[in-house]
Amino acid sequence: MESARIGSRLRAIRRSQGLTLEELAAAAGMSVSTLSRLESGKRQANLELLVPLTRRLGIRVDDLVADERPDPRVRRPPIHRDGLVIVPLAPEHAPVMTYRITYPPRAQAPEPRVHDGYEWIYVLSGRLRLILGDQDLVLEPGEAAEFDTRTPHSMSAAGSDSAEAISIFNRDGARIHTHTTPQD
């Protein structure tokens, strides 16, 4: 089954780069039928065949023969901060940080903050109040907002029920929301 797994990975990478069988075979110095049999798992893969293919594709041989991918599920504990429940939805070292945030009802909106970063937010349930600069907005379920976090902003539930949203931050934006600072 290793040949079939190598072949399917090879086919997927070739297609993702927009190459035809003919183009890759010619670039790697082999026949189209050899490449086709490799991709279908009908030809045993060996280094003599794989090295020119991986060089042309800009990948390592290990990318084709590596063990199964690790468990993709994200299992990180919720973060409780300033009354918010922040559930991480991305691995800890992901380039873009994604969270499900529950905003409890508050008598008054939090003070607007400014920090480096960028944020995208999508309301799942409830109504979310977004104060962004001089705008005071209420986002309903299904609405989204995108903004530079160097603009003074704050978010809270609008009304007497909690609001739940998905927030996506770059790393700078996530840091301010999920890490406690000395003044907190």
Short mmCIF file of all heavy atoms in Angstrom, two decimals, residues 76 78-88 97-103 110-121 128-132 147-156 167-181 184:
data_model
loop_
_atom_site.label_atom_id
_atom_site.label_comp_id
_atom_site.label_asym_id
_atom_site.label_seq_id
_atom_site.Cartn_x
_atom_site.Cartn_y
_atom_site.Cartn_z
N ARG A 76 -7.07 22.18 22.81
CA ARG A 76 -6.47 23.17 23.71
C ARG A 76 -7.53 23.62 24.69
O ARG A 76 -8.70 23.76 24.33
CB ARG A 76 -5.94 24.34 22.89
CG ARG A 76 -4.80 23.92 21.95
CD ARG A 76 -4.33 25.03 21.06
NE ARG A 76 -3.91 26.19 21.82
CZ ARG A 76 -3.82 27.42 21.31
NH1 ARG A 76 -4.11 27.63 20.05
NH2 ARG A 76 -3.44 28.42 22.05
N PRO A 78 -9.89 25.97 27.10
CA PRO A 78 -10.43 27.34 26.98
C PRO A 78 -9.63 28.31 27.85
O PRO A 78 -9.03 27.93 28.86
CB PRO A 78 -11.86 27.22 27.50
CG PRO A 78 -12.13 25.78 27.69
CD PRO A 78 -10.83 25.05 27.70
N ILE A 79 -9.65 29.56 27.44
CA ILE A 79 -9.00 30.64 28.19
C ILE A 79 -10.12 31.49 28.77
O ILE A 79 -11.05 31.87 28.05
CB ILE A 79 -8.12 31.48 27.25
CG1 ILE A 79 -7.04 30.60 26.60
CG2 ILE A 79 -7.51 32.68 27.97
CD1 ILE A 79 -6.41 31.21 25.35
N HIS A 80 -10.05 31.78 30.05
CA HIS A 80 -11.04 32.64 30.70
C HIS A 80 -10.33 33.95 31.03
O HIS A 80 -9.36 33.95 31.77
CB HIS A 80 -11.58 31.98 31.97
CG HIS A 80 -12.30 30.69 31.68
ND1 HIS A 80 -13.64 30.64 31.42
CD2 HIS A 80 -11.85 29.41 31.58
CE1 HIS A 80 -14.00 29.40 31.18
NE2 HIS A 80 -12.92 28.63 31.26
N ARG A 81 -10.83 35.03 30.42
CA ARG A 81 -10.16 36.32 30.61
C ARG A 81 -11.17 37.45 30.56
O ARG A 81 -11.93 37.56 29.59
CB ARG A 81 -9.12 36.52 29.52
CG ARG A 81 -8.40 37.85 29.65
CD ARG A 81 -7.07 37.80 28.97
NE ARG A 81 -6.36 39.01 29.31
CZ ARG A 81 -5.89 39.86 28.44
NH1 ARG A 81 -6.01 39.63 27.16
NH2 ARG A 81 -5.27 40.93 28.83
N ASP A 82 -11.20 38.26 31.58
CA ASP A 82 -12.07 39.44 31.64
C ASP A 82 -13.53 39.09 31.37
O ASP A 82 -14.24 39.82 30.70
CB ASP A 82 -11.61 40.52 30.64
CG ASP A 82 -10.20 41.03 30.91
OD1 ASP A 82 -9.79 41.02 32.09
OD2 ASP A 82 -9.52 41.41 29.95
N GLY A 83 -13.96 37.92 31.86
CA GLY A 83 -15.34 37.49 31.67
C GLY A 83 -15.60 36.79 30.35
O GLY A 83 -16.69 36.28 30.12
N LEU A 84 -14.62 36.76 29.47
CA LEU A 84 -14.77 36.10 28.18
C LEU A 84 -14.39 34.62 28.30
O LEU A 84 -13.54 34.27 29.13
CB LEU A 84 -13.85 36.73 27.14
CG LEU A 84 -13.96 38.22 26.88
CD1 LEU A 84 -12.91 38.66 25.87
CD2 LEU A 84 -15.35 38.57 26.39
N VAL A 85 -14.98 33.80 27.48
CA VAL A 85 -14.53 32.42 27.34
C VAL A 85 -13.99 32.32 25.92
O VAL A 85 -14.72 32.50 24.94
CB VAL A 85 -15.67 31.41 27.56
CG1 VAL A 85 -15.16 29.99 27.37
CG2 VAL A 85 -16.29 31.58 28.94
N ILE A 86 -12.69 32.06 25.82
CA ILE A 86 -11.98 32.05 24.54
C ILE A 86 -11.53 30.61 24.28
O ILE A 86 -10.68 30.09 25.00
CB ILE A 86 -10.78 33.01 24.59
CG1 ILE A 86 -11.24 34.42 24.97
CG2 ILE A 86 -10.04 33.00 23.26
CD1 ILE A 86 -10.11 35.37 25.33
N VAL A 87 -12.10 29.99 23.26
CA VAL A 87 -11.77 28.60 22.93
C VAL A 87 -10.88 28.60 21.69
O VAL A 87 -11.32 29.00 20.60
CB VAL A 87 -13.05 27.78 22.67
CG1 VAL A 87 -12.69 26.34 22.30
CG2 VAL A 87 -13.95 27.81 23.90
N PRO A 88 -9.62 28.15 21.83
CA PRO A 88 -8.73 28.09 20.66
C PRO A 88 -9.24 27.06 19.65
O PRO A 88 -9.61 25.95 20.00
CB PRO A 88 -7.39 27.63 21.25
CG PRO A 88 -7.49 27.94 22.72
CD PRO A 88 -8.94 27.77 23.07
N MET A 97 -4.34 32.80 14.07
CA MET A 97 -4.96 32.29 15.27
C MET A 97 -6.48 32.43 15.17
O MET A 97 -6.98 33.50 14.83
CB MET A 97 -4.43 33.04 16.50
CG MET A 97 -2.91 33.04 16.59
SD MET A 97 -2.15 31.40 16.53
CE MET A 97 -2.81 30.68 18.00
N THR A 98 -7.20 31.35 15.46
CA THR A 98 -8.65 31.35 15.35
C THR A 98 -9.25 30.93 16.69
O THR A 98 -8.78 29.97 17.31
CB THR A 98 -9.10 30.37 14.25
OG1 THR A 98 -8.42 30.70 13.04
CG2 THR A 98 -10.59 30.45 14.02
N TYR A 99 -10.29 31.65 17.12
CA TYR A 99 -10.93 31.39 18.42
C TYR A 99 -12.44 31.50 18.31
O TYR A 99 -12.96 32.26 17.49
CB TYR A 99 -10.48 32.43 19.46
CG TYR A 99 -8.99 32.44 19.68
CD1 TYR A 99 -8.17 33.29 18.95
CD2 TYR A 99 -8.41 31.59 20.60
CE1 TYR A 99 -6.80 33.30 19.14
CE2 TYR A 99 -7.03 31.59 20.80
CZ TYR A 99 -6.24 32.44 20.07
OH TYR A 99 -4.89 32.43 20.26
N ARG A 100 -13.13 30.74 19.15
CA ARG A 100 -14.56 30.96 19.37
C ARG A 100 -14.62 31.70 20.69
O ARG A 100 -14.13 31.22 21.71
CB ARG A 100 -15.33 29.64 19.45
CG ARG A 100 -16.84 29.88 19.56
CD ARG A 100 -17.63 28.61 19.72
NE ARG A 100 -17.49 28.17 21.10
CZ ARG A 100 -17.25 26.93 21.50
NH1 ARG A 100 -17.09 25.97 20.62
NH2 ARG A 100 -17.14 26.64 22.77
N ILE A 101 -15.21 32.90 20.68
CA ILE A 101 -15.24 33.74 21.88
C ILE A 101 -16.69 33.96 22.29
O ILE A 101 -17.53 34.32 21.47
CB ILE A 101 -14.55 35.10 21.63
CG1 ILE A 101 -13.10 34.87 21.18
CG2 ILE A 101 -14.61 35.97 22.89
CD1 ILE A 101 -12.34 36.14 20.82
N THR A 102 -16.94 33.75 23.58
CA THR A 102 -18.26 34.04 24.15
C THR A 102 -18.14 35.32 24.96
O THR A 102 -17.31 35.42 25.88
CB THR A 102 -18.75 32.88 25.04
OG1 THR A 102 -18.77 31.69 24.25
CG2 THR A 102 -20.13 33.17 25.59
N TYR A 103 -18.94 36.31 24.57
CA TYR A 103 -18.96 37.61 25.25
C TYR A 103 -20.18 37.63 26.17
O TYR A 103 -21.32 37.52 25.69
CB TYR A 103 -19.09 38.75 24.22
CG TYR A 103 -17.91 38.85 23.29
CD1 TYR A 103 -17.86 38.10 22.11
CD2 TYR A 103 -16.86 39.70 23.57
CE1 TYR A 103 -16.79 38.20 21.25
CE2 TYR A 103 -15.78 39.81 22.71
CZ TYR A 103 -15.75 39.06 21.56
OH TYR A 103 -14.66 39.16 20.71
N PRO A 110 -16.66 47.61 27.38
CA PRO A 110 -15.28 47.79 27.86
C PRO A 110 -14.63 49.00 27.21
O PRO A 110 -15.05 49.43 26.12
CB PRO A 110 -14.57 46.51 27.43
CG PRO A 110 -15.60 45.61 26.84
CD PRO A 110 -16.85 46.39 26.63
N GLU A 111 -13.62 49.51 27.85
CA GLU A 111 -12.86 50.63 27.28
C GLU A 111 -12.19 50.17 25.98
O GLU A 111 -11.63 49.08 25.92
CB GLU A 111 -11.77 51.09 28.25
CG GLU A 111 -12.28 51.95 29.38
CD GLU A 111 -12.87 53.26 28.88
OE1 GLU A 111 -12.24 53.94 28.04
OE2 GLU A 111 -14.00 53.59 29.31
N PRO A 112 -12.25 50.97 24.95
CA PRO A 112 -11.57 50.61 23.70
C PRO A 112 -10.07 50.46 23.91
O PRO A 112 -9.47 51.18 24.72
CB PRO A 112 -11.89 51.78 22.77
CG PRO A 112 -13.17 52.34 23.31
CD PRO A 112 -13.05 52.19 24.81
N ARG A 113 -9.49 49.50 23.19
CA ARG A 113 -8.05 49.25 23.27
C ARG A 113 -7.46 49.44 21.88
O ARG A 113 -8.14 49.31 20.87
CB ARG A 113 -7.78 47.82 23.73
CG ARG A 113 -8.27 47.54 25.12
CD ARG A 113 -8.12 46.08 25.39
NE ARG A 113 -7.15 45.88 26.46
CZ ARG A 113 -6.81 44.70 26.93
NH1 ARG A 113 -7.33 43.61 26.42
NH2 ARG A 113 -5.94 44.59 27.91
N VAL A 114 -6.17 49.65 21.86
CA VAL A 114 -5.41 49.77 20.62
C VAL A 114 -4.19 48.87 20.77
O VAL A 114 -3.54 48.86 21.82
CB VAL A 114 -4.95 51.24 20.40
CG1 VAL A 114 -4.06 51.33 19.18
CG2 VAL A 114 -6.13 52.16 20.28
N HIS A 115 -3.90 48.10 19.75
CA HIS A 115 -2.71 47.25 19.76
C HIS A 115 -2.37 46.86 18.33
O HIS A 115 -3.19 47.02 17.43
CB HIS A 115 -2.93 46.00 20.64
CG HIS A 115 -4.13 45.20 20.26
ND1 HIS A 115 -4.10 44.20 19.32
CD2 HIS A 115 -5.42 45.27 20.70
CE1 HIS A 115 -5.30 43.67 19.20
NE2 HIS A 115 -6.12 44.30 20.02
N ASP A 116 -1.17 46.36 18.14
CA ASP A 116 -0.77 45.89 16.81
C ASP A 116 -1.62 44.69 16.45
O ASP A 116 -2.03 43.92 17.31
CB ASP A 116 0.70 45.49 16.80
CG ASP A 116 1.63 46.69 16.82
OD1 ASP A 116 1.19 47.78 16.40
OD2 ASP A 116 2.78 46.53 17.26
N GLY A 117 -1.89 44.54 15.19
CA GLY A 117 -2.59 43.35 14.73
C GLY A 117 -3.74 43.67 13.79
O GLY A 117 -3.97 44.81 13.41
N TYR A 118 -4.43 42.60 13.45
CA TYR A 118 -5.54 42.68 12.52
C TYR A 118 -6.54 41.63 12.96
O TYR A 118 -6.15 40.56 13.43
CB TYR A 118 -5.04 42.39 11.10
CG TYR A 118 -5.89 43.03 10.05
CD1 TYR A 118 -5.82 44.40 9.80
CD2 TYR A 118 -6.78 42.28 9.30
CE1 TYR A 118 -6.61 45.00 8.83
CE2 TYR A 118 -7.56 42.86 8.33
CZ TYR A 118 -7.48 44.22 8.10
OH TYR A 118 -8.26 44.80 7.14
N GLU A 119 -7.84 41.89 12.85
CA GLU A 119 -8.85 40.95 13.32
C GLU A 119 -10.00 40.85 12.33
O GLU A 119 -10.39 41.82 11.69
CB GLU A 119 -9.40 41.38 14.69
CG GLU A 119 -10.42 40.42 15.25
CD GLU A 119 -10.81 40.72 16.70
OE1 GLU A 119 -10.21 41.64 17.31
OE2 GLU A 119 -11.70 40.03 17.20
N TRP A 120 -10.52 39.63 12.24
CA TRP A 120 -11.74 39.35 11.48
C TRP A 120 -12.67 38.65 12.45
O TRP A 120 -12.24 37.75 13.20
CB TRP A 120 -11.40 38.45 10.31
CG TRP A 120 -12.58 38.05 9.47
CD1 TRP A 120 -13.10 38.72 8.41
CD2 TRP A 120 -13.37 36.87 9.61
NE1 TRP A 120 -14.17 38.03 7.89
CE2 TRP A 120 -14.36 36.88 8.62
CE3 TRP A 120 -13.35 35.80 10.51
CZ2 TRP A 120 -15.32 35.89 8.47
CZ3 TRP A 120 -14.30 34.80 10.37
CH2 TRP A 120 -15.26 34.86 9.35
N ILE A 121 -13.93 39.05 12.52
CA ILE A 121 -14.88 38.46 13.47
C ILE A 121 -16.18 38.12 12.75
O ILE A 121 -16.62 38.86 11.87
CB ILE A 121 -15.12 39.41 14.67
CG1 ILE A 121 -15.89 38.68 15.75
CG2 ILE A 121 -15.78 40.70 14.28
CD1 ILE A 121 -15.70 39.31 17.12
N LEU A 128 -23.57 41.23 18.91
CA LEU A 128 -22.25 41.68 19.35
C LEU A 128 -22.11 43.18 19.09
O LEU A 128 -22.27 43.63 17.96
CB LEU A 128 -21.15 40.92 18.61
CG LEU A 128 -19.72 41.25 19.05
CD1 LEU A 128 -19.44 40.67 20.43
CD2 LEU A 128 -18.74 40.70 18.04
N ARG A 129 -21.79 43.91 20.15
CA ARG A 129 -21.54 45.34 20.01
C ARG A 129 -20.06 45.54 19.72
O ARG A 129 -19.20 45.08 20.46
CB ARG A 129 -21.92 46.07 21.30
CG ARG A 129 -21.73 47.57 21.21
CD ARG A 129 -22.15 48.25 22.48
NE ARG A 129 -22.06 49.69 22.37
CZ ARG A 129 -22.15 50.51 23.40
NH1 ARG A 129 -22.36 50.03 24.61
NH2 ARG A 129 -22.04 51.80 23.21
N LEU A 130 -19.78 46.23 18.64
CA LEU A 130 -18.41 46.55 18.23
C LEU A 130 -18.27 48.05 18.22
O LEU A 130 -18.93 48.74 17.44
CB LEU A 130 -18.11 45.97 16.84
CG LEU A 130 -16.81 46.42 16.17
CD1 LEU A 130 -15.59 46.01 16.98
CD2 LEU A 130 -16.73 45.86 14.74
N ILE A 131 -17.43 48.54 19.10
CA ILE A 131 -17.08 49.96 19.06
C ILE A 131 -15.73 50.02 18.35
O ILE A 131 -14.75 49.41 18.78
CB ILE A 131 -17.00 50.56 20.47
CG1 ILE A 131 -18.38 50.47 21.14
CG2 ILE A 131 -16.48 51.99 20.42
CD1 ILE A 131 -18.41 50.91 22.58
N LEU A 132 -15.72 50.72 17.22
CA LEU A 132 -14.54 50.79 16.37
C LEU A 132 -14.33 52.25 16.00
O LEU A 132 -15.06 52.81 15.18
CB LEU A 132 -14.75 49.93 15.12
CG LEU A 132 -13.58 49.81 14.16
CD1 LEU A 132 -12.37 49.17 14.84
CD2 LEU A 132 -13.99 49.00 12.94
N PHE A 147 -11.05 44.46 10.70
CA PHE A 147 -10.47 45.76 11.03
C PHE A 147 -9.04 45.66 11.52
O PHE A 147 -8.59 44.63 11.99
CB PHE A 147 -11.34 46.50 12.07
CG PHE A 147 -11.53 45.75 13.35
CD1 PHE A 147 -10.70 45.96 14.44
CD2 PHE A 147 -12.59 44.86 13.50
CE1 PHE A 147 -10.89 45.28 15.63
CE2 PHE A 147 -12.80 44.18 14.68
CZ PHE A 147 -11.95 44.39 15.75
N ASP A 148 -8.34 46.78 11.39
CA ASP A 148 -6.99 46.97 11.89
C ASP A 148 -7.12 47.27 13.38
O ASP A 148 -7.82 48.21 13.77
CB ASP A 148 -6.35 48.15 11.14
CG ASP A 148 -4.91 48.38 11.51
OD1 ASP A 148 -4.52 48.15 12.67
OD2 ASP A 148 -4.16 48.84 10.62
N THR A 149 -6.45 46.50 14.21
CA THR A 149 -6.60 46.66 15.66
C THR A 149 -5.83 47.86 16.21
O THR A 149 -5.87 48.11 17.41
CB THR A 149 -6.17 45.37 16.40
OG1 THR A 149 -4.83 45.04 16.04
CG2 THR A 149 -7.10 44.22 16.07
N ARG A 150 -5.20 48.63 15.34
CA ARG A 150 -4.61 49.90 15.80
C ARG A 150 -5.68 50.97 15.90
O ARG A 150 -5.43 52.05 16.43
CB ARG A 150 -3.47 50.32 14.87
CG ARG A 150 -2.27 49.37 14.96
CD ARG A 150 -1.22 49.72 13.96
NE ARG A 150 -1.79 49.46 12.62
CZ ARG A 150 -1.10 49.58 11.50
NH1 ARG A 150 0.15 49.94 11.52
NH2 ARG A 150 -1.68 49.34 10.34
N THR A 151 -6.88 50.67 15.41
CA THR A 151 -8.04 51.55 15.60
C THR A 151 -8.63 51.22 16.96
O THR A 151 -8.83 50.05 17.28
CB THR A 151 -9.11 51.27 14.51
OG1 THR A 151 -8.52 51.47 13.22
CG2 THR A 151 -10.31 52.18 14.68
N PRO A 152 -8.90 52.23 17.82
CA PRO A 152 -9.48 51.93 19.14
C PRO A 152 -10.76 51.09 18.95
O PRO A 152 -11.63 51.41 18.15
CB PRO A 152 -9.80 53.30 19.71
CG PRO A 152 -8.89 54.25 18.99
CD PRO A 152 -8.73 53.67 17.62
N HIS A 153 -10.84 49.97 19.70
CA HIS A 153 -11.97 49.07 19.54
C HIS A 153 -12.28 48.34 20.84
O HIS A 153 -11.42 48.16 21.69
CB HIS A 153 -11.69 48.05 18.44
CG HIS A 153 -10.54 47.14 18.76
ND1 HIS A 153 -9.23 47.54 18.64
CD2 HIS A 153 -10.51 45.86 19.21
CE1 HIS A 153 -8.44 46.54 19.00
NE2 HIS A 153 -9.20 45.51 19.35
N SER A 154 -13.54 47.94 20.97
CA SER A 154 -13.95 47.05 22.05
C SER A 154 -15.16 46.27 21.57
O SER A 154 -15.88 46.70 20.67
CB SER A 154 -14.28 47.82 23.34
OG SER A 154 -15.51 48.50 23.22
N MET A 155 -15.36 45.10 22.18
CA MET A 155 -16.49 44.25 21.83
C MET A 155 -17.15 43.73 23.09
O MET A 155 -16.47 43.44 24.08
CB MET A 155 -16.02 43.08 20.97
CG MET A 155 -15.65 43.51 19.56
SD MET A 155 -14.92 42.20 18.60
CE MET A 155 -13.21 42.42 19.02
N SER A 156 -18.47 43.61 23.02
CA SER A 156 -19.24 43.06 24.14
C SER A 156 -20.58 42.60 23.60
O SER A 156 -20.98 42.97 22.49
CB SER A 156 -19.42 44.11 25.24
OG SER A 156 -20.09 45.25 24.72
N SER A 167 -13.36 34.54 15.98
CA SER A 167 -12.41 35.62 15.71
C SER A 167 -11.14 35.02 15.13
O SER A 167 -10.64 34.01 15.63
CB SER A 167 -12.07 36.38 17.00
OG SER A 167 -13.10 37.25 17.33
N ILE A 168 -10.64 35.68 14.11
CA ILE A 168 -9.38 35.28 13.49
C ILE A 168 -8.45 36.47 13.59
O ILE A 168 -8.80 37.58 13.23
CB ILE A 168 -9.59 34.88 12.02
CG1 ILE A 168 -10.58 33.71 11.94
CG2 ILE A 168 -8.26 34.51 11.36
CD1 ILE A 168 -10.97 33.33 10.53
N PHE A 169 -7.25 36.21 14.12
CA PHE A 169 -6.26 37.26 14.35
C PHE A 169 -4.96 36.86 13.69
O PHE A 169 -4.65 35.68 13.58
CB PHE A 169 -5.91 37.39 15.84
CG PHE A 169 -7.06 37.62 16.76
CD1 PHE A 169 -7.69 36.56 17.40
CD2 PHE A 169 -7.49 38.90 17.05
CE1 PHE A 169 -8.72 36.77 18.29
CE2 PHE A 169 -8.52 39.12 17.94
CZ PHE A 169 -9.14 38.05 18.56
N ASN A 170 -4.15 37.86 13.35
CA ASN A 170 -2.76 37.52 13.11
C ASN A 170 -2.14 37.35 14.49
O ASN A 170 -2.79 37.54 15.52
CB ASN A 170 -2.06 38.58 12.24
CG ASN A 170 -1.92 39.92 12.92
OD1 ASN A 170 -2.30 40.12 14.08
ND2 ASN A 170 -1.38 40.87 12.19
N ARG A 171 -0.89 36.94 14.56
CA ARG A 171 -0.29 36.60 15.86
C ARG A 171 -0.29 37.79 16.83
O ARG A 171 -0.57 37.65 18.00
CB ARG A 171 1.13 36.09 15.65
CG ARG A 171 1.72 35.55 16.94
CD ARG A 171 2.76 34.49 16.73
NE ARG A 171 2.36 33.33 15.98
CZ ARG A 171 1.66 32.31 16.47
NH1 ARG A 171 1.24 32.34 17.71
NH2 ARG A 171 1.38 31.27 15.73
N ASP A 172 -0.03 39.02 16.35
CA ASP A 172 -0.03 40.19 17.23
C ASP A 172 -1.42 40.44 17.82
O ASP A 172 -1.56 40.76 18.99
CB ASP A 172 0.42 41.44 16.48
CG ASP A 172 1.90 41.42 16.15
OD1 ASP A 172 2.66 40.77 16.88
OD2 ASP A 172 2.28 42.04 15.15
N GLY A 173 -2.45 40.29 17.01
CA GLY A 173 -3.81 40.49 17.49
C GLY A 173 -4.22 39.46 18.51
O GLY A 173 -4.90 39.76 19.49
N ALA A 174 -3.80 38.22 18.34
CA ALA A 174 -4.16 37.15 19.28
C ALA A 174 -3.48 37.35 20.63
O ALA A 174 -4.07 37.11 21.68
CB ALA A 174 -3.77 35.79 18.70
N ARG A 175 -2.24 37.81 20.61
CA ARG A 175 -1.47 37.94 21.85
C ARG A 175 -2.18 38.84 22.86
O ARG A 175 -2.29 38.50 24.03
CB ARG A 175 -0.08 38.50 21.52
CG ARG A 175 0.87 38.51 22.70
CD ARG A 175 2.27 38.98 22.32
NE ARG A 175 2.84 38.18 21.26
CZ ARG A 175 3.10 38.64 20.03
NH1 ARG A 175 2.88 39.88 19.72
NH2 ARG A 175 3.63 37.85 19.12
N ILE A 176 -2.72 39.95 22.44
CA ILE A 176 -3.34 40.90 23.37
C ILE A 176 -4.63 40.32 23.96
O ILE A 176 -4.99 40.61 25.09
CB ILE A 176 -3.60 42.27 22.69
CG1 ILE A 176 -3.91 43.34 23.73
CG2 ILE A 176 -4.73 42.19 21.70
CD1 ILE A 176 -2.71 43.79 24.50
N HIS A 177 -5.32 39.45 23.22
CA HIS A 177 -6.59 38.91 23.69
C HIS A 177 -6.44 37.68 24.58
O HIS A 177 -7.33 37.38 25.36
CB HIS A 177 -7.49 38.57 22.50
CG HIS A 177 -8.01 39.79 21.82
ND1 HIS A 177 -9.15 40.44 22.22
CD2 HIS A 177 -7.54 40.49 20.76
CE1 HIS A 177 -9.35 41.49 21.44
NE2 HIS A 177 -8.39 41.54 20.55
N THR A 178 -5.34 36.94 24.45
CA THR A 178 -5.23 35.67 25.14
C THR A 178 -4.16 35.62 26.22
O THR A 178 -4.10 34.64 26.94
CB THR A 178 -4.95 34.55 24.13
OG1 THR A 178 -3.72 34.82 23.45
CG2 THR A 178 -6.08 34.41 23.13
N HIS A 179 -3.33 36.62 26.34
CA HIS A 179 -2.27 36.61 27.34
C HIS A 179 -2.53 37.71 28.36
O HIS A 179 -2.82 38.84 28.00
CB HIS A 179 -0.90 36.83 26.69
CG HIS A 179 -0.50 35.70 25.83
ND1 HIS A 179 -0.99 35.54 24.54
CD2 HIS A 179 0.31 34.64 26.04
CE1 HIS A 179 -0.48 34.45 24.02
NE2 HIS A 179 0.31 33.88 24.91
N THR A 180 -2.40 37.35 29.61
CA THR A 180 -2.59 38.30 30.67
C THR A 180 -1.37 39.20 30.76
O THR A 180 -0.24 38.74 30.71
CB THR A 180 -2.80 37.57 32.02
OG1 THR A 180 -3.89 36.69 31.85
CG2 THR A 180 -3.09 38.54 33.14
N THR A 181 -1.61 40.48 30.91
CA THR A 181 -0.51 41.43 31.05
C THR A 181 -0.48 41.91 32.50
O THR A 181 -1.46 41.80 33.22
CB THR A 181 -0.70 42.65 30.11
OG1 THR A 181 -1.96 43.23 30.37
CG2 THR A 181 -0.65 42.22 28.66
N ASP A 184 -3.46 43.80 34.01
CA ASP A 184 -4.79 43.16 34.09
C ASP A 184 -5.15 42.79 35.51
O ASP A 184 -4.43 42.39 36.30
CB ASP A 184 -4.83 41.89 33.22
CG ASP A 184 -4.90 42.28 31.76
OD1 ASP A 184 -5.23 43.42 31.45
OD2 ASP A 184 -4.62 41.42 30.94
#
